[in-house]
Amino acid sequence: MLQSPPPPCNLVLGSTSRYRRDLLGRLGLPFEVAAPAVDETPLPEESPHALALRLALAKARAVAALRPEAIVIGSDQVADLGGQPLGKPGNHERATAQLRRMSGQTVIFQTAVAVVCQAMGFEQVDLAPVQVRFRSLDDAEIERYLRAEQPYDCAGSAKSEGLGISLLDAIDSDDPTALIGLPLIRTCRMLRAAGLVLP
């Protein structure tokens, strides 16, 4: 007897980030991953926090348009240095330049999360800013760090969950996983509001 395929999962992470996937996995909920088709180019004069909020919501909406019955999570993070957005460096040279700029500075990592379910008409978005104070860094320690961890896919060129913590003087946040890429306290709050039962 042929078995029918399992019903589609009703929770979807609209992100291909392995960091967000690992964080969401902590909640013990079954979920799928879908890549959102969203242009991440900042708008003219757009502030880093506005950019993060817009992109998180755009990602959730893009996936929800394809999966209207699902509860979709979208998230985005923008490193904010004095009101200027810092993106993912992508390579060693740009990461070196970013860390030189951030040396001795306070950077706000604007981490936004959105939850959307088209079928329910549900939509929420929130921001979890994280203040990170970098130590004064010399070129030798920047080079050692980048060679060791190669954080070229991370906004701000440092992984606080790894060796990057050694570059910092302080982290100030009310949602501890926000700096890694998904603020789980806010995410849980929104998922409960959307009707999911969390363990």
Side-chain angles (χ1 to χ4, degrees):
M1 181 176 174
L2 290 175
Q3 289 190 340
S4 59
C9 182
N10 68 345
L11 179 61
V12 180
L13 175 63
S15 172
T16 55
S17 162
R18 59 192 168 107
Y19 308 108
R20 292 190 181 106
R21 186 176 62 241
D22 290 347
L23 287 170
L24 187 58
R26 293 185 188 183
L27 301 183
L29 297 169
F31 67 94
E32 296 175 9
V33 172
V38 171
D39 180 358
E40 299 191 25
T41 306
L43 300 175
E45 307 301 317
E46 188 173 30
S47 67
H49 81 271
L51 174 62
L53 285 166
R54 178 175 64 82
L55 291 180
L57 191 54
K59 290 174 182 180
R61 285 173 173 170
V63 174
L66 304 173
R67 298 283 301 275
E69 301 296 325
I71 296 170
V72 180
I73 300 168
S75 187
D76 195 76
Q77 183 179 75
V78 180
D80 176 351
L81 178 59
Q84 296 300 311
L86 300 175
K88 297 172 184 174
N91 63 40
H92 188 85
E93 292 71 29
R94 286 198 288 270
T96 299
Q98 278 193 356
L99 287 173
R100 283 175 177 159
R101 284 183 65 196
M102 295 186 299
S103 174
Q105 302 295 315
T106 295
V107 180
I108 302 174
F109 287 80
Q110 307 282 7
T111 307
V113 62
V115 173
V116 172
C117 179
Q118 274 198 358
M120 290 193 299
F122 181 89
E123 186 172 285
Q124 287 188 3
V125 63
D126 200 359
L127 188 70
V130 182
Q131 282 198 342
V132 177
R133 192 167 70 243
F134 281 79
R135 294 187 303 102
S136 292
L137 307 171
D138 62 39
D139 284 351
E141 58 190 336
I142 289 173
E143 182 68 14
R144 284 195 305 273
Y145 169 68
L146 291 178
R147 293 295 177 196
E149 198 149 66
Q150 300 180 12
Y152 308 136
D153 61 345
C154 298
S157 304
K159 294 182 186 179
S160 65
E161 68 276 25
L163 184 59
I165 199 76
S166 69
L167 307 179
L168 310 180
D169 267 337
I171 297 173
D172 184 17
S173 173
D174 66 358
D175 206 333
T177 59
L179 188 54
I180 305 171
L182 184 65
L184 285 180
I185 292 173
R186 285 165 173 78
T187 301
C188 288
R189 185 183 302 143
M190 292 183 192
L191 293 179
R192 285 191 295 266
L196 280 187
V197 176
L198 277 74

